[in-house]
Amino acid sequence: MKFALSPAALLCAIALSAAAHAQTPAPAISDGIVKIGVLTDIAGPFMDNVGKGSIAATEIAVEEFGGKVLGKPIEIVTADHQNKADIASTKTREWLDRDKVDAVTELGNSAVALAAMRIAQEKGRMSIVTGAGAQRISNEDCSPNNVHWVYDSYALANVGTKSLVKNGFKTWYYVTADYAFGHSLENDGRKFIEEAGGKVVGTSRYPFPGNDFASYILKANGSKANAVAIATAGLDLQNAIKQGREFGLGSGGQASVAMLMSLMDVHGLGLKTAGGMMFAESFYWDHDAESRKFAEKFMQKMKRMPTALQAGQYSAIRTYLKAVEQAKTDEVGAVIKAMKAMPINDAFAKNGKLRDDGKMVHDMFLVKVKTPAESKKPWDYYQIVETVPGSEAFESLAQSKCALVKK
């Protein structure tokens, strides 16, 4: 016997079926795995500041989650971008298209970061910049799929120059790496120097990466500037400071100022060479109980203490995984919304807040490198001279050129 549904009953059945389908939850974790791609400088000039240490920091964050989030496994893949934007672009596309990477991170070079960010946005995935500092990353080139974690050139220049100008270093000469981050450090530094009543009397830009800084240092010496600012990072910074000492830079009352220096730079130079230098920092391993706890885990893996960039990588991945857990999905928009809603206080960040432009704003430090006589134990390198609240260290949202910021 056959039964025919009336038109009204048929419509009701269709509606019930549609409602049941709508209530079926979408997969919380795409592909059943959370995959994090650490794209870093493994063998180049930034390898000590990021590199294998940033991979280790990522591993620590994942291990603290037990290797799973929402019951699904977390996987880490790694690659060396060689500080080349084209290599970074190729690897990012490969990861996102073929390997189903959910978040590409570290990106310790500003040109690399900007390239990877664009591809991540195009593919609807997330980028987490912890190793690059050009302000444009979270300013005019901001992306709704990106977060910018550790520092930017504005905060470094702001915290690292104003106090020196106020203490009598009125004239400055820049030795600058000729690429996006170097330019950003110099331009932001110039702004704060002039605002504080100082003046930049000259600039030399060298092709990055570089080995021979003699001609640039001689020009800086000849300028008779009170302070010579070295706007680069990693091995280039160490070589420039060493060669500067050989040519008398820093003698006769002239200050040698690093616009970006790390714990590993100090370690590589030694306290005899680096002692007394002042600069902006975003993390110190011996700052408090939380920073020391993370540093102990890092030491077990790397046999040395972490840099700010490596601690920032740990913080960013830890926050990302907490947000996935809270949002109950790895969908980018939901994850970033959850990250923006949570206060960030961990081994790296104090009073941290992820803003609408994707910048994570947190307290910064002005530090002074200890002399050999002042250092009392291994890796006892910094004296924290001043803690600058994030609201004062970073550019305000009102000044931002990011299109995501509502005016």
Side-chain angles (χ1 to χ4, degrees), residues 127-389:
S127 54
I128 303 172
V129 179
T130 64
Q135 193 186 0
R136 56 190 286 193
I137 290 168
S138 47
N139 200 21
E140 58 263 45
D141 289 322
C142 68
S143 161
N145 291 32
N146 182 67
V147 296
H148 191 189
W149 211 257
V150 177
Y151 53 57
D152 64 18
S153 55
Y154 181 102
L156 291 172
N158 182 9
V159 176
T161 59
K162 279 184 175 179
S163 64
L164 291 173
V165 175
K166 290 174 183 176
N167 281 283
F169 296 94
K170 299 294 187 182
T171 56
W172 292 63
Y173 190 99
Y174 268 83
V175 176
T176 302
D178 194 8
Y179 79 116
F181 182 55
H183 299 172
S184 192
L185 277 176
E186 180 189 324
N187 293 337
D188 288 331
R190 181 187 295 267
K191 171 186 174 184
F192 292 115
I193 289 164
E194 291 174 351
E195 283 181 1
K199 181 181 180 182
V200 177
V201 297
T203 297
S204 291
R205 290 185 172 177
Y206 76 89
F208 173 85
N211 294 310
D212 185 359
F213 297 90
S215 62
Y216 311 110
I217 290 165
L218 289 172
K219 287 180 182 177
N221 263 337
S223 73
K224 306 298 182 184
N226 301 142
V228 175
I230 304 172
T232 189
L235 295 178
D236 278 27
L237 174 67
Q238 293 183 38
N239 287 331
I241 292 172
K242 287 176 183 176
Q243 291 176 35
R245 291 287 191 260
E246 292 170 7
F247 284 92
L249 188 62
S251 62
Q254 189 179 50
S256 178
V257 181
M259 296 305 296
L260 171 59
M261 200 166 187
S262 80
L263 193 78
M264 287 306 296
D265 294 322
V266 174
H267 186 72
L269 290 166
L271 297 184
K272 186 176 179 180
T273 299
M277 294 187 73
M278 295 177 69
F279 52 93
E281 256 289 20
S282 49
F283 169 84
Y284 182 41
W285 72 268
D286 202 19
H287 179 235
D288 59 22
E290 282 187 289
S291 61
R292 286 188 285 272
K293 184 178 179 181
F294 165 69
E296 287 171 6
K297 293 181 180 181
F298 188 91
M299 173 66 82
Q300 290 174 6
K301 285 181 175 285
M302 296 299 296
K303 311 306 177 189
R304 61 177 177 82
M305 289 302 179
T307 65
L309 297 177
Q310 291 156 350
Q313 175 71 7
Y314 161 81
S315 170
I317 298 304
R318 185 175 179 271
T319 306
Y320 168 73
L321 293 174
K322 285 176 65 178
V324 170
E325 188 174 62
Q326 191 173 104
K328 295 181 169 49
T329 178
D330 60 0
E331 191 276 320
V332 178
V335 171
I336 290 183
K337 183 179 179 181
M339 291 175 79
K340 288 179 178 177
M342 61 177 65
I344 302 164
N345 286 289
D346 55 28
F348 169 76
K350 295 296 176 285
N351 305 311
K353 174 68 177 175
L354 187 64
R355 301 191 314 195
D356 289 344
D357 55 358
K359 192 192 306 291
M360 202 277 277
V361 172
H362 54 87
D363 294 351
M364 293 282 291
F365 307 119
L366 178 66
V367 302
K368 184 177 182 180
V369 179
K370 293 182 177 182
T371 64
E374 292 168 333
S375 180
K376 303 303 180 186
K377 58 186 177 181
W379 300 95
D380 179 24
Y381 292 164
Y382 291 171
Q383 173 192 347
I384 295 178
V385 176
E386 183 181 356
T387 299
V388 181

